[in-house]
Amino acid sequence: MGVMTRTEIGTGTGRRVSEARERLLRTAGQLFYAEGIHTVGVDRLVAESKVTNATFYRHFRSKEDLAVAYIESVDQAIRTQIASLTAADVPADGILRGIGASLVEQIRSPGYRGCAFLNAAAEFPDPEHPVHRAVVQHRAWFLQTITGLFAAITAAEAEHAGRHFAMLRDGAMSAGYLGDPVLAGETLLRGIDGLLRIHTARGLDERAASAPDRDPSAATTVSGVECAPPGA
């Protein structure tokens, strides 16, 4: 999705083949997410995409090859979303809150079935399998990106904050599918808010500690700050 293939250049049959590939990928995305990758066979993918077997194998060597493309397309969609926030010159904390808001919207949407990456990893537990590797690559990129956003606020313990955010995301996406999606979304946003308050205060402490002629005894401390609303 989004990457132009050679067959799209020009007109004629090449363009039709490209459109067939997009239909296959779109159909696979819907079925794989809703029902699981192992459950959906090639015959059904071909029938619902309205292509031939020859067209399928022209673009994908196997169903697992298509599954990798499916994971990569979801990964690319998330990268594009975060890039759009960055391009809009949104502050780092605003981007992190925006990611949380987007997750809440997804969790509460009809047909939500959990995290596509965690679901795929569960179906392909072998760490050497291409589908599993594609999931791990996405998660590594996501963690690096989130950590970079926290580092833009303050470098102090940005890696810890990034891992905390990623775990909040994983937990919320699982809880939203298995439990109450409204509560899962609210808990996620509260957790992100608490994490940002702690991390921002840490940055203020770092700057205050490095200020010249500052009395160390007057340094602000970050204590008693919980990732939950007051009175929870």
Side-chain angles (χ1 to χ4, degrees), residues 32 37-42 45 56 61-67:
F32 286 167
I37 297 171
H38 289 317
T39 302
V40 182
V42 171
L45 288 165
F56 178 94
R61 292 168 296 177
S62 65
K63 187 182 78 171
E64 290 181 356
D65 192 32
L66 175 57

Side-chain angles (χ1 to χ4, degrees), residues 157-181:
E157 298 191 41
E159 291 185 9
H160 172 79
R163 291 194 299 271
H164 195 156
F165 188 101
M167 290 185 69
L168 282 171
R169 179 188 74 156
D170 289 348
M173 296 193 79
S174 296
Y177 174 54
L178 298 172
D180 187 330

Side-chain angles (χ1 to χ4, degrees), residues 21-83:
R21 183 186 188 282
E22 291 303 306
R23 286 203 306 277
L24 276 165
L25 189 53
R26 185 166 54 251
T27 301
Q30 294 168 350
L31 295 177
F32 286 167
Y33 181 72
E35 302 179 24
I37 297 171
H38 289 317
T39 302
V40 182
V42 171
D43 288 345
R44 185 177 174 195
L45 288 165
V46 166
E48 296 204 17
S49 300
K50 296 181 173 57
V51 299
T52 64
N53 279 1
T55 298
F56 178 94
Y57 288 109
R58 183 179 302 124
H59 293 290
F60 303 102
R61 292 168 296 177
S62 65
K63 187 182 78 171
E64 290 181 356
D65 192 32
L66 175 57
V68 172
Y70 153 63
I71 292 298
E72 289 176 344
S73 71
V74 180
D75 168 69
Q76 186 57 52
I78 295 173
R79 290 176 187 247
T80 300
Q81 179 190 39
I82 295 178

Side-chain angles (χ1 to χ4, degrees), residues 19-206:
E19 290 172 350
R21 183 186 188 282
E22 291 303 306
R23 286 203 306 277
L24 276 165
L25 189 53
R26 185 166 54 251
T27 301
Q30 294 168 350
L31 295 177
F32 286 167
Y33 181 72
E35 302 179 24
I37 297 171
H38 289 317
T39 302
V40 182
V42 171
D43 288 345
R44 185 177 174 195
L45 288 165
V46 166
E48 296 204 17
S49 300
K50 296 181 173 57
V51 299
T52 64
N53 279 1
T55 298
F56 178 94
Y57 288 109
R58 183 179 302 124
H59 293 290
F60 303 102
R61 292 168 296 177
S62 65
K63 187 182 78 171
E64 290 181 356
D65 192 32
L66 175 57
V68 172
Y70 153 63
I71 292 298
E72 289 176 344
S73 71
V74 180
D75 168 69
Q76 186 57 52
I78 295 173
R79 290 176 187 247
T80 300
Q81 179 190 39
I82 295 178
S84 67
L85 291 171
T86 304
D89 200 25
V90 177
D93 63 332
I95 295 176
L96 290 165
R97 293 182 192 280
I99 293 170
S102 177
L103 287 168
V104 169
E105 183 179 355
Q106 182 181 353
I107 289 169
R108 296 178 181 178
S109 64
Y112 175 71
R113 192 178 170 273
C115 175
F117 300 98
L118 295 179
N119 292 347
E123 289 197 76
F124 296 90
D126 181 0
E128 298 304 315
H129 194 282
V131 172
H132 193 101
R133 288 204 304 268
V135 171
V136 170
Q137 287 170 4
H138 163 77
R139 291 178 63 81
W141 166 81
F142 184 81
L143 178 58
Q144 181 181 30
T145 300
I146 295 301
T147 299
L149 290 168
F150 277 106
I153 299 171
T154 178
E157 298 191 41
E159 291 185 9
H160 172 79
R163 291 194 299 271
H164 195 156
F165 188 101
M167 290 185 69
L168 282 171
R169 179 188 74 156
D170 289 348
M173 296 193 79
S174 296
Y177 174 54
L178 298 172
D180 187 330
V182 174
L183 287 178
E186 291 175 351
T187 303
L188 173 64
L189 294 181
R190 290 169 180 170
I192 292 173
D193 180 67
L195 182 57
L196 282 170
R197 285 190 288 112
I198 292 171
H199 193 68
T200 300
R202 184 179 294 124
L204 293 173
D205 285 350
E206 288 287 317

